[in-house]
Amino acid sequence: MIICGIGEILYSIWSIIQGILYVLIDMNTDQTIISKFEYENESVFSYFLQILFFGIFFIVVATSILLPRIYVGVCAFADGHGKRKSPVYLFIAVFLNLMTILSIILGIVSFGKNTYDIIDIIIQSIIKATSLWVMTDLIVSAVKLRRIRAEGQA
C-alpha cells in the first residue's frame, strides 16, 4: 500500500510534466507555445490576456489531474502505515482506473485520426497500463488490509 501510494503520487507528477511538455511543444509543427503567441498587430494587453487565460486553463486542468491522484496516494500511504482512512479514496481510485482504461481504449482507437505515430501510442499505453496496474494493486491491497483488520478486531 505504501509503495502503491508513492507510485500514484509520482505518476501524478509525471502526468503534469507530460502535460507541460505537450503544451509547450506542438507535436505537429515542432513550434513552442510562445511562437504561437507572437503578436502581430495585437496590443500588449490582448497578448497578456491570452497568456493569462492559458495559464488559468492550465492550472485548472493540472489540478484536476493532480489532486485526485495525490489524494489517493496520500490516503493509501497513510492506510498502509495503519492510520484508518475513509473508503472514499478507494472509490476515487476505481473511478481513476475506469478513466485510465477509457483513455487507453481511446488512444488505440484514435490512432489513424491523430498525427501521433505508433511509437507514441505504444509508449503512452504502456505508461497508462502501468498506472492501471499500480492503482489496481492499491485497491486490492486496501480491500485485503481492511478485511484483515476487521477479522483482527472481531
Side-chain angles (χ1 to χ4, degrees):
M1 292 269 306
I2 295 167
I3 293 172
C4 291
I6 292 170
E8 277 309 307
I9 293 169
L10 291 176
Y11 183 74
S12 66
I13 293 169
W14 165 247
S15 297
I16 295 302
I17 292 170
Q18 181 184 17
I20 290 170
L21 292 176
Y22 275 122
V23 169
L24 292 178
I25 300 172
D26 186 347
M27 300 305 272
N28 296 332
T29 61
D30 295 328
Q31 294 178 343
T32 63
I33 195 71
I34 301 301
S35 65
K36 290 181 181 182
F37 279 119
E38 288 178 355
Y39 53 95
E40 298 171 9
N41 301 326
E42 289 186 22
S43 70
V44 174
F45 183 70
S46 172
Y47 177 70
F48 173 74
L49 284 179
Q50 288 176 351
I51 291 179
L52 180 69
F53 286 130
F54 171 76
I56 291 170
F57 174 75
F58 181 76
I59 289 171
V60 168
V61 170
T63 55
S64 68
I65 293 170
L66 183 68
L67 290 181
R69 287 198 179 272
I70 286 182
Y71 176 74
V72 168
V74 168
C75 287
F77 187 82
D79 208 3
H81 277 295
K83 298 177 184 171
R84 296 191 183 252
K85 297 308 268 180
S86 168
V88 171
Y89 83 95
L90 293 175
F91 292 111
I92 295 171
V94 170
F95 176 75
L96 290 172
N97 256 5
L98 293 174
M99 292 296 106
T100 302
I101 292 169
L102 181 65
S103 175
I104 292 171
I105 292 170
L106 288 176
I108 293 170
V109 169
S110 67
F111 169 63
K113 299 173 186 156
N114 289 337
T115 58
Y116 306 121
D117 58 351
I118 189 71
I119 300 297
D120 289 337
I121 292 174
I122 291 171
I123 291 171
Q124 288 177 5
S125 296
I126 289 171
I127 291 171
K128 289 177 184 177
T130 303
S131 170
L132 181 68
W133 178 65
V134 169
M135 187 72 83
T136 302
D137 188 34
L138 185 146
I139 294 167
V140 170
S141 298
V143 169
K144 286 182 179 181
L145 183 62
R146 287 172 184 271
R147 284 186 184 157
I148 289 170
R149 285 180 182 160
E151 289 174 3
Q153 291 179 353

